[in-house]
Amino acid sequence: MINIGVLASGRGTNLQAIIEAIKEGKIEGRISIVISDNRDAFALKRVEQHNIETRYINFKEFKTREDYDKKIMECLKEKDVDLVVLAGYMRILSPYFIRTYKNKIINIHPALLPSFPGLHAQRQAVEYGVKISGCTVHFVNEGVDSGPVILQKAVEVKDNDTEESLAERILKEEHQIYPRAIQLFCQGRLIIKDRKVFIK
Ligand code: GRF
């Protein structure tokens, strides 16, 4: 059974979708720990009801990003974590973390990468005037939202869409593809060659 460690900073709707997929037997893995940099993250509240261990680690107690990440990695190691899932985690991981967990960290981004990386992807899409956006699950490498793509789902952008209305429709699809990508990882079906991911 794959041990999943989740890093989350915010409301945690993706985390919720992952928990539900596990409960329904759609993911052959278990969440061993949820770590947050935000004491008030609603994500933490959601998991407490499910008997999943949580940990809040205060960034201010560490001198550097790497020191902070080392603390996180210590917790992940204690739990024998095989897969790190970023679920609305708002900090950039240090290269040290990324190298140590190479091809074992995944993220979801609310746009069709490589379009609109970085913050406010849905706003970027609305402002640019694209007709299609969507979401992307990808492995994390040392760039910003630039790692190998695992799954993507397109979402139509409507003429009257605001950042919020588009975000809401994209989010529904995020909740579908993130659990699916995690299951593929858990089944050992993701093969990475250079920057491409093949599904066995
Ligand atoms: C999602 O839009 C995700 O694509 C992005 O951060 C947001 C997290 O939302 N990486 P939630 O905390 O899962 O509700």
Side-chain angles (χ1 to χ4, degrees), residues 126 129-131 156-162 165 169:
V126 169
V130 290
K131 305 297 186 192
E156 195 185 336
V157 183
K158 299 188 175 150
D159 287 349
N160 58 355
D161 257 332
T162 59
S165 63
R169 283 209 313 291

Side-chain angles (χ1 to χ4, degrees), residues 16-32:
Q16 182 80 46
I18 296 163
I19 291 171
E20 278 160 24
I22 291 173
K23 287 223 153 123
E24 289 165 15
K26 291 182 182 158
I27 295 177
E28 295 154 65
R30 61 170 158 247
I31 299 179
S32 306

Side-chain angles (χ1 to χ4, degrees), residues 4-174:
I4 301 167
V6 178
L7 305 189
S9 306
R11 63 193 167 167
T13 65
N14 276 288
L15 174 56
Q16 182 80 46
I18 296 163
I19 291 171
E20 278 160 24
I22 291 173
K23 287 223 153 123
E24 289 165 15
K26 291 182 182 158
I27 295 177
E28 295 154 65
R30 61 170 158 247
I31 299 179
S32 306
I33 190 158
V34 176
I35 302 174
S36 184
D37 58 330
N38 172 10
R39 195 202 320 252
D40 304 320
F42 193 64
L44 292 180
K45 305 231 157 50
R46 285 181 198 270
V47 290
E48 276 157 14
Q49 311 158 5
H50 295 276
N51 246 345
I52 296 170
E53 199 173 318
T54 61
R55 200 67 199 269
Y56 157 63
I57 306 175
N58 183 357
F59 185 76
K60 290 192 184 125
E61 286 172 16
F62 299 84
K63 272 209 197 91
T64 65
R65 186 159 77 195
E66 193 166 306
D67 288 344
Y68 183 70
D69 282 0
K70 279 185 177 156
K71 181 70 198 174
I72 294 179
M73 289 162 68
E74 217 175 85
C75 298
L76 297 174
K77 197 147 184 241
E78 259 171 40
K79 296 284 164 193
D80 272 328
V81 164
D82 309 291
L83 171 67
V84 180
V85 170
L86 305 184
Y89 185 62
M90 295 311 286
R91 285 184 191 281
I92 292 175
L93 299 177
S94 58
Y96 178 70
F97 190 145
I98 293 167
R99 280 199 290 268
T100 309
Y101 280 87
K102 189 165 192 273
N103 297 340
K104 290 188 171 127
I105 309 172
I106 61 174
N107 182 43
I108 187 149
H109 183 75
L112 291 178
L113 292 170
S115 289
F116 313 126
L119 290 174
H120 309 298
Q122 304 94 330
R123 189 192 303 167
Q124 291 184 55
V126 169
E127 282 176 359
Y128 194 94
V130 290
K131 305 297 186 192
I132 294 173
S133 190
C135 45
T136 305
V137 182
H138 63 93
F139 282 105
V140 173
N141 66 9
E142 289 182 36
V144 176
D145 300 322
S146 61
V149 170
I150 302 170
L151 291 177
Q152 292 188 301
K153 179 75 203 235
V155 172
E156 195 185 336
V157 183
K158 299 188 175 150
D159 287 349
N160 58 355
D161 257 332
T162 59
E163 176 183 0
E164 290 74 24
S165 63
L166 178 61
E168 204 179 301
R169 283 209 313 291
I170 292 176
L171 193 63
K172 285 207 184 96
E173 301 301 337
E174 293 183 33

